[in-house]
Amino acid sequence: MYGKGLRALSIATVAAMALALALVFFYAPLEAEQGFLQKIFYLHVPLAIVALCGFVLGGLLAIQHLRTREARWDMRSYVAIHMSLIFAVATLITGSIWAKGSWGHWWVWSEPTLVSFLIVFLLYATYQPLRFAIEDPERQSRYASVFAVTAGAFVPLNFIAVRLSTAYLHPRVLGSTSNLPGPMALTFVVSLAAMALLFATLCKYELTAKHTRAQVRALRRRLTGETGAPLRQRSAAPSLQPTAASAGSATGSGA
Amino acid sequence: MRRTVGALLRKELLVELRTLESVPGMSLFAVTTFVVFHFALNRNSVDGDLASGILWVTLLFAAILGINRLFVADAEEGGFDGFLLAPVDRSAMLVAKVLTLLAYLVVLEIVAVPAFALLLLGPSLAGAMPGLLVTLALGDLGVAVIGTLVAALAVQTRARDLLGPLLALPLLVPIVIGGARATSPLLALSHPTGAPARWLLTLGLYDLVFGLIAYALFDFLLED
C-alpha cells in the first residue's frame, strides 16, 4: 500500500527534472553580468525554497502527531525533516559556489538569506542527535515533535530577524521572480516545480522503504517462529511496529 | 494557577538559596569571561559594537550554564513525579521555571554589568542605563522562555549537557541580534544615542511569539 503511485511519481519527477534542465541550458537567456554562472540560480534557489518548506511541513506534521498521537505522523514529520536536511546541505554548497563565483568569497555575511539559512541548518542539525539521545520510542517521538514545531516556527522568525540586521550591500536582482524577465521566470518556476516533485518522490521512497523493511522484519520473525517483544536497536529514526494484521495481509497477498 | 506558580517559584528559589548551585557559578563565569576577553582581544577598554557584542555573548553563555541546570534536580530527585501527581495546571511549571530563570538572569546582570563597566567598558554607563535596562529586560525574557523550553527538551536525553546548548544557541541568535544591535549605540564612545526602537520591537515580538510557542508545547514534555 505504501508503494502505490510510486512509479508514476518517479516518472513525473524524471520528466520534470529533464524539462527543467533543458530549459535552464537551452532556453533561459544568459544573464548580462554573471553569464553562465547565473544558471546555478535555477538549482540553488529551488533547493533552498523546497528545503525551507520541508522544514515547515515537518513542523505541521508534528502538530498533527501531537494532536492525534499516531505514529505515522511522526514518521512523516521525520522523513520531511530528514529529506529537508539533505536539501539544505545541497543548498549551502550551491550557495557557496555561487558566492565564490560572483563575489569572490566562499561565504558572505552580507547576504541575509544565506546567513539565516545557515542558522536554520545549524538548528535542524540537532534534530537527529536529539532523537538518538532519547531511548524510549514514545518519548522520542513526542519530544521530536515538540522540537519540530518549535523549529518550524523559528524558520520564518529567523529570516525576519536576520534580514532586519543586514544592510543590503548587494542588490538583490535575482532574489524574487517579480523582476525576472519572462523566459527566466518560466525556467525558474519549472525548476521549482521539478525540485518540489523530487522532494515528494524521495520522501515517498523513504517512507516506502521504512514500511517495507518493517514488514519484512515482521514476516521473518513469523517464519522463524520468534515470539516476544522484538529487540529494538537504538536509532534516531522512528520505529515501526507493524501489527500482526498488516504482516498477515502481506503473507496472504504473497501466497 | 497563581498560587501554584507562587508555591513552585518559592520552592525553586529556596532550593537555589540552600544549594547555591546556579547563580554564583553564572556570575563568576561572566566576570572570568570579561578577563578572558581582555587578554584575548588585547584591549584595555572597549566601546560600541565590540562592547555590546562582548556583553551579550558573555551573558548568553552564562545563561546557558543556568539553562543546563534548570531541570536537573526535578529529573533526578523526582520533582517531575511530585508535580505530575498534584492536581494542578501543568503550565504552572513553565511559568514558574521561566520566572526562576528570569530571576537568575537578573541577579547575574546585577553582578556582570557593573563588572563589565569596571573592567572593560570605555564610555560611562550612566547615560546608557535606562536604555540598557529595557534592552536587557526584553532580552532576558526571551532567553528565559527559550531556555526553559530547551532545558525541558534536553533534560530527559542522555547527552543533556551537550544537547541543551546545541538546541539553545541557534534559537537565541535572533535575541543576540536584537540585543547587540540595540545596545551598541548606547555604548558608543562618541555621541551615544538611545536604543533604536526597531530592535526593541523585534525583541519584544520574538519574546511574545516564543512565549506562545512554549505555552502551547510545554504540556507535551511533561506527560510520563
Side-chain angles (χ1 to χ4, degrees):
Chain A
M1 63 180 169
Y2 271 92
K4 207 171 151 190
L6 198 53
R7 180 177 301 170
L9 196 58
S10 312
I11 292 170
T13 306
V14 170
M17 286 308 275
L19 176 66
L21 286 178
L23 284 178
V24 165
F25 286 111
F26 302 114
Y27 175 67
L30 278 181
E31 210 248 347
E33 275 179 43
Q34 299 186 17
F36 186 73
L37 177 71
Q38 185 264 337
K39 304 261 185 210
I40 202 171
F41 159 81
Y42 302 110
L43 181 64
H44 170 71
V45 179
L47 269 173
I49 292 176
V50 170
L52 291 175
C53 290
F55 285 140
V56 176
L57 176 72
L60 295 176
L61 294 169
I63 292 179
Q64 196 64 24
H65 171 246
L66 288 176
R67 280 177 55 191
T68 61
R69 302 303 169 91
E70 286 171 26
R72 62 198 169 109
W73 292 110
D74 177 47
M75 178 58 111
R76 285 172 194 170
S77 167
Y78 169 82
V79 168
I81 290 175
H82 182 206
M83 215 38 89
S84 298
L85 262 173
I86 296 170
F87 275 55
V89 173
T91 307
L92 287 173
I93 292 172
T94 51
S96 227
I97 293 173
W98 194 12
K100 175 70 181 169
S102 62
W103 300 318
H105 300 283
W106 291 108
W107 188 256
V108 277
W109 286 107
S110 54
E111 178 60 49
T113 323
L114 205 57
V115 175
S116 21
F117 201 90
L118 178 68
I119 298 170
V120 166
F121 172 75
L122 287 175
L123 177 64
Y124 274 98
T126 56
Y127 178 68
Q128 310 244 4
L130 173 72
R131 291 198 79 118
F132 194 67
I134 305 174
E135 275 170 62
D136 178 45
E138 194 272 333
R139 177 183 278 171
Q140 184 193 71
S141 59
R142 193 152 39 85
Y143 276 44
S145 288
V146 169
F147 172 87
V149 176
T150 313
F154 173 75
V155 170
L157 286 175
N158 175 55
F159 268 76
I160 296 169
V162 175
R163 174 141 307 177
L164 274 175
S165 79
T166 322
Y168 291 179
L169 292 189
H170 303 279
R172 298 182 52 75
V173 188
L174 303 169
S176 64
T177 48
S178 57
N179 50 14
L180 282 177
M184 283 187 167
L186 176 70
T187 312
F188 174 72
V189 170
V190 173
S191 306
L192 182 59
M195 204 55 82
L197 268 175
L198 179 67
F199 181 82
T201 313
L202 289 176
C203 281
K204 202 160 171 60
Y205 265 111
E206 190 176 351
L207 277 172
T208 311
K210 285 202 188 310
H211 279 276
T212 313
R213 194 184 303 152
Q215 266 186 354
V216 167
R217 199 176 294 147
L219 287 174
R220 186 181 295 148
R221 284 171 50 79
R222 274 163 61 107
L223 209 62
T224 52
E226 284 177 62
T227 48
L231 266 177
R232 186 175 178 275
Q233 277 185 325
R234 258 182 79 224
S235 127
S239 64
L240 280 171
Q241 305 295 344
T243 54
S246 73
S249 70
T251 28
S253 60
Chain B
M1 174 88 173
R2 190 180 295 168
R3 282 187 52 224
T4 320
V5 172
L8 282 171
L9 189 60
R10 205 158 50 241
K11 168 221 144 204
E12 293 294 335
L13 297 181
L14 200 61
V15 168
E16 176 58 29
L17 273 180
R18 292 215 178 134
T19 58
L20 290 176
E21 265 186 333
S22 296
V23 177
M26 290 160 75
S27 311
L28 194 60
F29 176 84
V31 176
T32 317
T33 308
F34 291 139
V35 177
V36 171
F37 266 120
H38 159 72
F39 288 110
L41 298 172
N42 199 13
R43 295 271 294 258
N44 291 327
S45 73
V46 291
D47 57 86
D49 278 346
L50 192 57
S52 92
I54 289 174
L55 181 63
W56 277 95
V57 166
T58 306
L59 291 178
L60 190 69
F61 286 140
I64 285 197
L65 293 185
I67 291 171
N68 263 345
R69 309 202 59 85
L70 193 61
F71 282 101
V72 170
D74 296 81
E76 284 178 356
E77 315 286 343
F80 281 129
D81 302 333
F83 178 73
L84 288 176
L85 285 174
V88 292
D89 191 355
R90 306 264 173 93
S91 307
M93 185 157 218
L94 171 71
V95 180
K97 286 288 184 183
V98 169
L99 291 176
T100 309
L101 193 52
L102 203 56
Y104 289 2
L105 291 173
V106 168
V107 178
L108 164 72
E109 276 149 19
I110 289 174
V111 177
V113 172
F116 179 60
L118 195 75
L119 293 173
L120 274 180
L121 192 62
S124 155
L125 256 186
M129 219 47 205
L132 190 60
L133 283 182
V134 175
T135 316
L136 284 177
L138 285 172
D140 286 353
L141 191 60
V143 173
V145 169
I146 293 170
T148 307
L149 185 63
V150 165
L153 255 177
V155 77
Q156 305 282 11
T157 63
R158 291 180 318 128
R160 61 166 82 114
D161 297 338
L162 186 67
L163 275 173
L166 278 183
L167 288 168
L169 277 180
L171 289 174
L172 291 173
V173 166
I175 299 219
V176 175
I177 294 175
R181 295 292 161 104
T183 316
S184 90
L186 295 171
L187 304 179
L189 204 49
S190 53
H191 311 300
T193 54
R198 179 169 78 135
W199 292 115
L200 297 181
L201 195 69
T202 313
L203 275 177
L205 280 178
Y206 196 73
D207 295 354
L208 184 70
V209 172
F210 261 91
L212 292 175
I213 293 173
Y215 183 72
L217 291 178
F218 192 75
D219 284 9
F220 294 108
L221 297 176
L222 277 188
E223 2 175 306
D224 285 299

